[in-house]
Amino acid sequence: MNNYGFIKVATGVPKVKVANPDYNKEQIIKLIDKANEQNVKILITPELSISAYTCADLFFQDTLLDQCEKALYEITEYTKEIDIALVVGMPVRYKNALYNCAVIMLRGEILGIIPKQYIPTHNEFYEKRWFASGRDVYDEIKIANQTVPFGQMLFKLREDLTVGIEVCEDLWVPIPPSSNLALSGANLILNISASNEVVSKDEYRTNLIVSQSAKCLCGYMYVSAGVHESTTDLLFGGSSVIAENGILLNKGKRFERENELTCAYVDMGKLNFQRRQNMSFNDNKREYDMEYDVIEKTFIDNDISDFDRYVDAHPFIPSDENLRIERCNEIFSIQSSALAKRLEHTGLKKLVVGISGGLDSTLALLVASETMKLLKLPSENIIGITMPGFGTTDRTYTNALDLMKSLNVTIKEISIKEAATLHMKDIEHDINIHDITYENTQARERTQILMDMANKNGAILVGTGDLSEMALGWCTYNGDHMSMYGVNASVPKTLVSHLVRTVAMISDEKTKEILLDILDTPISPELLPPTKDGKIEQKTEDNIGPYELHDFFLYNFIRCGAKKNKLHFLAKQAFKEKYSDEVIEKWLNNFMRRFFISQFKRSCTPDAPKVGSVSLSPRGDFRMPSDADFSSWLEE
């Protein structure tokens, strides 16, 4: 099984006895066994986990230090056949000074010892009494019957994985070592810590860790000493946090009295893709890139076998209802504020919107209505035009008219049947052949009407097409593809419905009723005649596939750089049993093909406001040649 760029990592908080390395070693070994059973590849334990953090002046005693080295040797011997990169904390003697160190090993080989750089001596901390700073130290030392690099360094454990290590207080300074490590190539930072608990500190500490993972575009693992440290003056809670570029992947329970393991899968593929995209990150290297030795030792087994990372099936839509409503309100404000600016700039005071009774045109009309409120202009300045065609059903036609009436906009009804029939006659197309020409004739006729009505009335034609349609090219070139300002252009289809629903919930009862019925209507361009009983015949998702799948593919393809095999793997995780392998493969191939062949449409799209992290604007977020070959993307 492929690892798809993921690696399983864990933080371990062992039970300890203060100044008893032999006991502490046994607890660390129990954590190693537990991690190994769960196919963990990287395990970190707290600061000074072999000795315990709260030994105070006992750190000066050779008895304790000798026992720590003995325990380290026994751990290395135990892990010779275990394919886990393990980090433990211990005091290390070097040239008549003592250093607070992280020791990293893999299959019994100590790869390096990293001394803590910033030694706190403020408030409850008094570490400079015992430990020297390891900021300018680099040498080799003998320990546990091995000759080991000692100082600041990086560890390349996989082709796509380079690890950097910092110790506790190192994170809390203005420019932490992890910033330099990240700019020098580390994409996973490990922090072993002993951070005591006081009221509200946990939230601050978690935010700090998550923020640093975002600033460094990296994965960040943090683990702190647990409740069995000395409680003379402090209580340690065993905080564990695993973050990835600003996202909290997992957080362990604090105040646990038994050995505690907290696991997560980190997506190294996504992190590396995002770093390649971020030129500011790369420019920052010029100031802060440092020369670190890179120690290379790779895992024997890189596959994953029990993938349990949560994969969001609807990445554009927050699962929390309150957050979703807040997000929708923010997007709605971006759309309406952007349209208001365009009206102010042009000096125009009217808007034209084509109203079909479908979701996209409904959202565009709602945005237009809010824009008029922002500019203190009458709602009648919106000219809503419904244009019945060969596929228009009574349901959508009625909803279009009712919504315009409810919002008190100027209503125009212009049938396209006669004009489309004449045009097909002019181009010698048989009106009984319901092919792409038949469909696009209607779409372009509607756009011509809307453009000319906008000119006639001194108005801006508001586009209704959404992000998902642009990704798939599900629009008629120079038909509904074109407008004077596209308010929905970076809103994915799966999010459009939530935006409309959010507005519905704060609307008057009549408008709410109309909007809810529109939400319940099948998605369709209505360019083919309805069924005999007047129902929608042409359903978009029957033709191109489920929008929830396509939006999932789009997000992970654009935002995370996922290859086709990874998209398939993630879709299986996200949708569980909802779609079979064959169905996912079918629509994934369709997505890739349509995405590439539709770039020529995206290359000349109207101006539109960006509302989220994924946008296909040819002037900003996504630039691609219109004739790029996509065969490699289908073969992965």
Side-chain angles (χ1 to χ4, degrees), residues 186-204:
N187 50 15
L188 180 62
I189 302 295
L190 317 180
N191 185 310
I192 65 171
S193 176
S195 181
N196 63 300
E197 302 296 336
V198 293
V199 174
S200 78
K201 184 177 183 179
D202 181 61
E203 181 180 3
Y204 179 88

Side-chain angles (χ1 to χ4, degrees), residues 3-9 158 160-161 187-188 217-220 242-245 247 249 264-274 307 309 311 556 559-563 566 569-570:
N3 60 50
Y4 303 102
F6 290 101
I7 185 166
K8 189 170 188 179
V9 302
R158 213 168 72 179
D160 60 351
L161 170 64
N187 50 15
L188 180 62
L217 278 172
C218 71
Y220 199 106
I242 305 174
E244 175 187 288
N245 191 14
I247 298 170
L249 296 181
Y265 276 97
V266 180
D267 191 345
M268 307 313 303
K270 181 178 77 171
L271 291 170
N272 293 333
F273 173 78
Q274 291 172 338
F307 189 80
R309 171 167 162 153
V311 180
N556 287 286
R559 187 80 178 86
C560 307
K563 298 165 68 174
K566 186 172 182 177
F569 171 75
L570 292 174

Side-chain angles (χ1 to χ4, degrees), residues 346-413:
T346 59
L348 301 176
K349 298 184 183 301
K350 293 184 178 181
L351 298 171
V352 166
V353 188
I355 310 300
S356 68
L359 272 175
D360 290 342
S361 65
T362 295
L363 178 58
L365 181 57
L366 293 172
V367 170
S369 178
E370 180 64 20
T371 299
M372 289 304 175
K373 293 175 185 176
L374 291 175
L375 296 177
K376 297 180 172 56
L377 292 171
S379 56
E380 292 85 355
N381 281 21
I382 301 172
I383 303 170
I385 305 176
T386 185
M387 296 163 284
F390 303 123
T392 303
T393 59
D394 291 342
R395 182 179 186 180
T396 54
Y397 171 73
T398 301
N399 279 337
L401 290 176
D402 287 348
L403 182 61
M404 289 189 284
K405 290 174 186 176
S406 180
L407 296 176
N408 198 33
V409 306
T410 299
I411 301 172
K412 298 287 184 183
E413 181 178 335

Side-chain angles (χ1 to χ4, degrees), residues 509-526:
E509 284 304 312
K510 179 60 177 174
T511 304
K512 178 180 177 180
E513 181 182 344
I514 299 165
L515 292 175
L516 291 179
D517 192 64
I518 291 171
L519 284 163
D520 195 44
T521 304
I523 299 169
S524 172
E526 292 195 317

Side-chain angles (χ1 to χ4, degrees), residues 3 90 258 275 308 333 446 457 549 559 599 632:
N3 60 50
M90 63 177 285
E258 298 299 327
R275 279 193 178 183
D308 59 358
S333 294
R446 284 177 171 139
N457 290 278
L549 269 180
R559 187 80 178 86
Q599 178 62 24
S632 296

Side-chain angles (χ1 to χ4, degrees), residues 174-190:
I175 303 177
S178 52
S179 297
N180 300 117
L181 292 166
L183 290 169
S184 302
N187 50 15
L188 180 62
I189 302 295
L190 317 180

